[in-house]
Amino acid sequence: QVQLVQSGAEVKKPGASVKVSCKASGYTFTSYGISWVRQAPGQGLEWMGWISAYNGNTNYAQKLQGRVTMTTDTSTSTAYMELRSLRSDDTAVYYCAGVRMVRGVIIHYGMDVWGQGTTVTVSS
Amino acid sequence: SYELTQPPSVSVSPGQTARITCSGDALPKQYAYWYQQKPGQAPVLVIYKDSERPSGIPERFSGSSSGTTVTLTISGVQAEDEADYYCQSADSSGTLFGGGTKLTVL
């Protein structure tokens, strides 16, 4: 079945970087784009950005421009999200989620498959 | 800046109908999506493109749109439907989530 499996929890100091992975299985990797969504403790969902697994095109949330980089490795069907210059308010659960595409075109923006989430804690 | 506005909470008794609204100026031009999130779990897509239901989602979940407001309706609410619900809209420039609504089944 279609599945996204994320890397394990991370604890980082302020100013450091974190890189979270999201390995896809059960489908053709390029038939989904990957969105990254985070959720701070007790808070709502925040969209971070999106990458097309078809051609590597990205679209980042304006708030995170310059601090976030999303990449894919089609040879391993894995997407990555790197966040730099971490602050305490980056403490959150980070999710990857799939957006369906056909030949590089988004069918709709609903995220119908999600990873299990990766907890990132930023603390000195 | 553009926002999606949801009520913080909605309460219903089992078997009743729950309606959760989401308002935003771009909604007449963009489709809305709805997610259910239970504690400690990843969100689950329950409605896409305003009113379409993914496979595996019970028929009691439905969506509708009127002007700047979209509505998630849960008919015959069950105890297992108690969760946080988020609306989402998107276009090629980005994605936005509403603040979320906590549905309590009394």
Side-chain angles (χ1 to χ4, degrees):
Chain A
Q1 74 279 22
V2 178
Q3 196 173 9
L4 298 175
V5 177
Q6 299 182 224
S7 49
E10 303 265 10
V11 178
K12 297 292 184 180
K13 293 194 183 301
S17 298
V18 68
K19 192 169 186 177
V20 179
S21 68
C22 170
K23 184 171 177 58
S25 62
Y27 70 92
T28 302
F29 186 58
T30 53
S31 62
Y32 274 86
I34 298 293
S35 280
W36 289 88
V37 175
R38 68 180 181 178
Q39 187 170 36
Q43 302 301 308
L45 303 175
E46 179 186 11
W47 179 76
M48 301 178 66
W50 171 87
I51 182 167
S52 168
Y54 182 82
N55 58 15
N57 286 350
T58 56
N59 184 12
Y60 301 140
Q62 192 168 10
K63 172 183 176 181
L64 297 173
Q65 289 272 3
R67 284 209 302 141
V68 68
T69 300
M70 297 175 188
T71 57
T72 58
D73 181 347
T74 54
S75 68
T76 60
S77 299
T78 303
Y80 299 91
M81 186 283 299
E82 181 180 33
L83 188 61
R84 299 177 293 278
S85 302
L86 289 168
R87 309 187 289 247
S88 59
D89 62 357
D90 292 318
T91 294
V93 177
Y94 288 74
Y95 294 101
C96 61
V99 177
R100 293 197 190 204
M101 305 180 72
V102 173
R103 298 188 193 90
V105 178
I106 293 176
I107 295 175
H108 65 74
Y109 289 96
M111 304 171 204
D112 61 5
V113 59
W114 291 68
Q116 82 276 19
T118 296
T119 299
V120 175
T121 303
V122 183
S123 174
S124 55
Chain B
S1 62
Y2 176 56
E3 294 182 345
L4 293 175
T5 302
Q6 299 182 234
S9 62
V10 168
S11 300
V12 294
S13 299
Q16 291 190 328
T17 296
R19 295 181 178 84
I20 300 173
T21 59
C22 172
S23 299
D25 289 341
L27 290 176
K29 303 184 291 291
Q30 295 178 0
Y31 284 122
Y33 305 83
W34 289 95
Y35 299 86
Q36 175 194 69
Q37 187 182 33
K38 297 181 179 180
Q41 298 183 18
V44 173
L45 180 68
V46 294
I47 294 290
Y48 67 97
K49 292 174 67 175
D50 290 348
S51 59
E52 302 290 327
R53 194 173 51 249
S55 61
I57 300 302
E59 290 183 8
R60 64 180 182 273
F61 289 87
S62 63
S64 61
S65 175
S66 179
T68 58
T69 300
V70 294
T71 302
L72 172 68
T73 300
I74 310 172
S75 304
V77 165
Q78 301 181 5
E80 68 198 49
D81 299 329
E82 185 163 287
D84 293 326
Y85 291 84
Y86 294 91
C87 62
Q88 173 214 346
S89 70
D91 62 13
S92 59
S93 64
T95 288
L96 182 65
F97 288 101
T101 299
K102 181 174 181 58
L103 175 67
T104 300
V105 181
L106 300 170

